[in-house]
Structure formats: C-alpha cells, structure tokens
Amino acid sequence: MSNYHIKHLEEYYQVYRKSVRNPEVFWEEVAEEHFLWRKRWNNVLQWDFSKPEIKWFEGAELNITENCIDRHLNTRGDKTAIIFEPNNPDEETQHISYRELHDRVCRFANVLKEKGIGKGDRVCIYLPMIPELAISVLACARIGAIHSVVFAGFSSTALATRINDSECKMVITSDGSYRGAKTIDLKSIVDEALEDCSSIESVLVAKRINSDIKMKEGRDYWLQPLLDEAYHDCDPEVMDAEDPLFILYTSGSTGKPKGMVHSSGGYMVYTAYTFKNVFQYREDDVYWCTADIGWITGHSYIVYGPLLNGATTLMFEGVPSYPDFGRFWEIVDKHQVNQFYTAPTAIRALAKEGMDHVEKYDLSSLKVLGTVGEPINEEAWHWYDDNIGKKKAPIVDTWWQTETGGIMISPIPFATPTKPTYATLPFIGIQPALMDENGEEIKGNQVDGRLCIKYPWPSMARTIWGDHQRYKDTYFSAFENMYFTGDGALRDEVGYYRITGRVDDVVIVSGHNLGTAPIEDAINEHPAVSESAIVGFPHDIKGNALYGYVILKETGESRNHDNLRKEINQLITEQIGPIAKLDKIQFTKGLPKTRSGKIMRRILRKIASKDTSNLGDTSTLLNPEVVQDIMDNVL
Ligand code: 6R9
C-alpha cells in the first residue's frame, strides 16, 4: 500500500490530509492490508470523549502474537527477531530467530496455563532486560492474559502497590539482575513486596545471576524446568479488538499510580504503522531502542512495533557507562545497527564524556536516530547529529506518552526536514490542538498553549484500570471534547510543534515520569517532617532533577540536617526507587500557599531554578512573606 511507507514531505501532507479528512477510511485501509484478523470488525470507530468511550475495530478478532510471530514464520522463520546483548560484553550475544521465538513463546504460554493463568488474568512481570522479559510479555498476549510490566528499578513498595491495584495472580521475575558492575537481588525485592499481596498465587523465577535465593514452597517455581517440559506449540487465544492487551502504570498528580489499559487491535495497528514510518525500517535492517521494556517505549518500540513488522530488534541488558562510556557505540558497530532510538538524558551523559569513546567505533551503518522521553536541548541535538549521525542520519524527535500508546508527533525521516528541539509535525491521523486557559483553541501559527488531541487514534489508552472516573477527570475534563496531554507546546511559523514540558505536577527526570505527590507522601512519613513540596529544576544531564522543600516538625528542628537529608532519600528509595531521590533538600519554615491552601509550585519551581526575576503575582498568597525567606536560603 502506497501510504504505508512515506517517502517525501509532499506524500506526508497528502497522506496526512487523507487521514484526518476521513480517519475511519484511512485506518480501515491500514488495518485491512497489513494484519491477520480472525474476524473482521463491524465498526472501525465508535467514540465519545465525554464518557469517555473509545472503540476501534469493534467486533474484530485477532491475536497480536500471531501477527508478531506466526505470520512471519513462512518468510522470515530464520531471520533474527531479537538480538540479546548482555550486560557484560564478554558474555555471548544471543540471536533468537522468529522460529525460535515462536517456540519459546509457546512453551512459556503453556507454562502460564499450567499454573492456572487464563484470558483476562493479570500477570505482573518484574524482570531485567533479558530475553525472558520480551518472551513473557508475548506469552501473556498469546493466551490473552493481561501483562503488567513493572520496571525492575522500582522498590518493593512500588511493586506491591502495582500488583495490588490490578490484583495480579502471578509474578514473573528472576533471581537477580546485572546493571553495569552491580548485581541486584530482584527476588528478595519480590519476596518483600509479596508480604502485602494476597492475590498472587505463584511466582516464576528465571535464573540470571545464579545467586542462592529463597524459594517459597508451593508458590515459587524455577522457570527453566517448567519450560523444558512444556509443549512447544500453543494456539493463540482469539481476542476481541477491544480486549485489554496490557496495563502499564504511569505517575500522576496523586499518590496512586495510574494503570493505563491498552487494547489489542488498535494498539497493534498503530504501533506497527508508526514503527514502519518513523524508523523507515527496511527488511535487513537492525533496529535498536535503548529503553527498558518496563516503560511504554519498550513495549511499543522494542517488542510490539518491531516484531509486527518482522524486524530485528536489539535488547540491551546493561547501561551506557559499562564497561565504559563507549558501550552504546561498540554495540552499534558490532551489530551494524541501522536505527538507533534513545533518550536525551543518555545523549547528554555520553556527550559529556568526550569523543574518544565515539571515535573508536564505526557508526556508518546508522540511517535514522531517534529521541524520546523529554524535550531535547539544542546542544544535545547537535552533538547527536554531528557526532553520531555525522549529519547524514535524520533525528526523529518523537513526542508521545504511556497513554498514547504510540508516537504522536515526529518527523518522518527523509520526508520531514528536521529542526533542533522540535518534534515537528503530527503523525498521520493525529489532530493536535493548542488550547488557552479559557478553554479556547488557539488557531494559527507562532502560538503556544496546552497540547490536546481532538480526535481518537487507534492506540490511545481506553481507561485507567479500576478507575474510569479518574481517566475522565485526568484526560478529558480540562478541555471539552479533547484529550489533554498534560504538556505545553508551541507551534512555529510553519506549523512545527515544540514540546515545552509538563504543565502539571509531573517532573521528568532522566526521561522517567515522576509524580511529585507520591514522593511527597513518602517524605511526609518521616517522623520529623511535617510537610513537603517537590519541584523539578534544570539539570545538565538528567534534564530535570528534584528539589524538595521540607518543613520540619518542632521535634525535628534540632536534628542534624545532613542526616535528615539522607534519611529522607532513603525513605524515597524504599517507597518508590532510587530514581526518585532528591538532589537538593531545603528545610524551610513555610510553603507559599494560595488562600484555598494549594501550594504555589510555580513559585517554588522558579526559586529552585534560580529564576526569580519574575515571580508573577504573589499577592494572592496566604503567606507572601515566606517567599523571601525561601529565596534567601535557596540551595
Ligand atoms: C514515550 C514516553 C510522557 C511524557 C510526555 C512529555 C515527555 C516524551 C518527548 C517528551 C518532549 C519528546 N516527552 N517524549 N517531551 N519531547 N520527544 O516518554 O512516555 O514515559 O509516559 O512520558 O514525556 O512530557 O508527556 P511517558
């Protein structure tokens, strides 16, 4: 189909116009031509943003793994589906062909069934970046179980909260994980979490670090012996297009994480189509996304999008700094990677280490470079363009979210001229709008506002697990008949979008979304703390770092402040994970509040950023005097 692989800007505009003039006809064509459906849909789209209710390909039946694997067996059975590059460069790389992937997914799926997992059951996956992670995701999808992958850097408390929220029946984990020179005892984190999780019936444990771990009789099972015994074929469960495929948690502005629920049919169509166009993948290419499968980027663009296209997708277990800062480039060279997709925070960290690590390697295979997760600053963009892509590989700055399932705003390489720091144009079928504070759409160019989407797209999340009202309140209530993203954006003179950052209480640290509320909840549990407020401030490498303003109780005031800081960060590590630790903690007597008692984070953000020239109107504050005091003591 001609509109499947867009090749120049004119074609983009043509296809884009068609896709928004009649989205249903457009997506129906894409769905018809490129996938295996067990049954055709009755309706392409039914939607009502006021409820909100969104249904794509209603009545259709499919199994996404049949599209990711079985469909390719005849033509690509021996092609490598997954390249696994271990943490330690001395350990052997694994190449898993489509045929082997089929076998391993089927066996795993049969193990799940044998342990009592069936369609609709929730399975929590808490694994490092090893092949079992991708395989267990696909095994769940094979039998219609809903996977809920929890990033293996989260603490036991965070894991327990997520397991309980969706009442998972099983956890899949490993004895431990490697991260650079460190090993992490994942299984003991799971054991701790499970003290508070009554829904879990069994735990499957993959062996990775060969550590001596405790296995609970009747609950915990080593994975390998079960796989060895399992039958190597497993019929895919036939799913309705709207049946949930997975839950993935993201932070919000309250303490409770939001379990975003994604569909089977629409998610498949959109992730496949975006992958093909945004990365311009060709049959023999090797594609590498450095994200962790614990995040949406890994779900859509390590596992599903690439496999739906019969691509070779690389999974890297380690970190960019191990054994040295050349590791990414060593891997690009070793596997002759063609498309490379990473985060601005990684680019900044590597740029800082200088060119020695880059120059050792042959990067000439690279055709397309991608970035995702947070706004990319101009300096990092140019470093990436000059030194990694050598100005020959276009940079796709892809804006999207856990909630959107797939890439929403991005250049199409070789078609859309790029512009540093701009995500550029809406992807095919995406209708963005910028809104002002009064709820009016801001038309025209050279404007900025709150970024909304006016019309459904196939991979949008359908609800928040167990809390549809929250889904409505968070995304569909700020502006009538619009999906509100939580981001601000500007549109330049030619209609290119630049994402300016979050306009809510979420801070993006090293590409990870962190809600400030759960961090504040964790701090407030400290016996010496009475109240706290967290904001982000600019950081050279992480993009943003966290700044905490903490009010101590009387009993805490005499304590050593540095010890208190350590204790607070320890609490955060236990409750959420080390990624949420604060860089700076300022003890203060008060926090600026509105008359209705809301903390004025806008002011705190400016002070933490040392940008106090224009604090805006502070006269509406209940306690304007604290502002000066906080400014005088800023860290
Ligand atoms: C895919 C992913 C979503 C938030 C999003 C925005 C920020 C993502 C971006 C970007 C500027 C980009 N974000 N990509 N900001 N430019 N190219 O990251 O999902 O983890 O849910 O984060 O990340 O603020 O709202 P998720």
Side-chain angles (χ1 to χ4, degrees), residues 296 373-375 397-402 487 499 502 508 513:
I296 190 68
E374 59 184 310
D397 178 353
T398 63
W399 173 84
W400 58 295
Q401 309 177 296
T402 304
D487 282 317
I499 311 302
R502 302 288 309 187
I508 306 205
N513 288 13

Side-chain angles (χ1 to χ4, degrees), residues 248-251 295-297 301 341 344 371-376 396-404 406-407 409 421-423 483 485-488 498-504 506 508 511-513:
L248 186 60
Y249 286 89
T250 186
S251 317
W295 310 116
I296 190 68
T297 304
Y301 300 111
Y341 191 26
T371 126
V372 60
E374 59 184 310
I376 182 165
V396 291
D397 178 353
T398 63
W399 173 84
W400 58 295
Q401 309 177 296
T402 304
E403 295 86 337
T404 69
I407 293 167
I409 302 182
T421 76
Y422 282 74
Y483 165 81
T485 65
D487 282 317
R498 177 187 188 178
I499 311 302
T500 47
R502 302 288 309 187
V503 294
D504 57 9
V506 172
I508 306 205
H512 301 154
N513 288 13

Side-chain angles (χ1 to χ4, degrees), residues 82-239:
I82 298 175
I83 299 176
F84 171 63
E85 185 60 35
N87 176 65
N88 182 343
D90 297 333
E91 193 185 319
E92 211 173 313
T93 303
Q94 292 177 34
H95 291 263
I96 302 170
S97 68
Y98 273 92
R99 204 178 318 285
E100 186 187 343
L101 184 63
H102 180 263
D103 185 74
R104 291 176 69 172
V105 168
C106 286
R107 282 175 193 266
F108 206 126
N110 286 327
V111 170
L112 295 179
K113 280 202 215 164
E114 191 210 305
K115 290 289 167 226
I117 302 297
K119 181 170 176 177
D121 288 338
R122 276 80 60 205
V123 173
C124 174
I125 302 175
Y126 187 72
L127 279 172
M129 281 287 284
I130 56 178
E132 286 78 2
L133 175 48
I135 290 167
S136 60
V137 159
L138 293 164
C140 287
R142 187 82 174 173
I143 63 167
I146 302 170
H147 55 79
S148 167
V149 182
V150 176
F151 173 59
F154 275 122
S155 71
S156 60
T157 317
L159 174 62
T161 309
R162 286 157 178 76
I163 289 173
N164 289 332
D165 183 71
S166 46
E167 296 168 290
C168 295
K169 268 173 86 171
M170 174 190 267
V171 182
I172 304 171
T173 188
S174 64
D175 52 352
S177 66
Y178 295 119
R179 257 188 100 66
K182 283 191 277 189
T183 52
I184 297 156
D185 295 324
L186 280 195
K187 177 61 166 53
S188 58
I189 300 175
V190 171
D191 288 341
E192 223 176 284
L194 294 193
E195 283 171 21
D196 299 317
C197 302
S198 56
S199 58
I200 294 294
E201 294 170 4
S202 53
V203 179
L204 300 184
V205 187
K207 207 171 235 176
R208 179 60 184 136
I209 62 169
N210 286 313
S211 63
D212 199 13
I213 57 164
K214 276 198 228 103
M215 295 290 278
K216 189 171 167 183
E217 177 89 33
R219 185 195 73 181
D220 301 350
Y221 303 90
W222 286 107
L223 182 60
Q224 197 55 50
L226 298 174
L227 289 173
D228 291 342
E229 305 251 295
Y231 187 57
H232 54 77
D233 212 351
C234 171
D235 279 344
E237 184 78 31
V238 177
M239 306 294 286

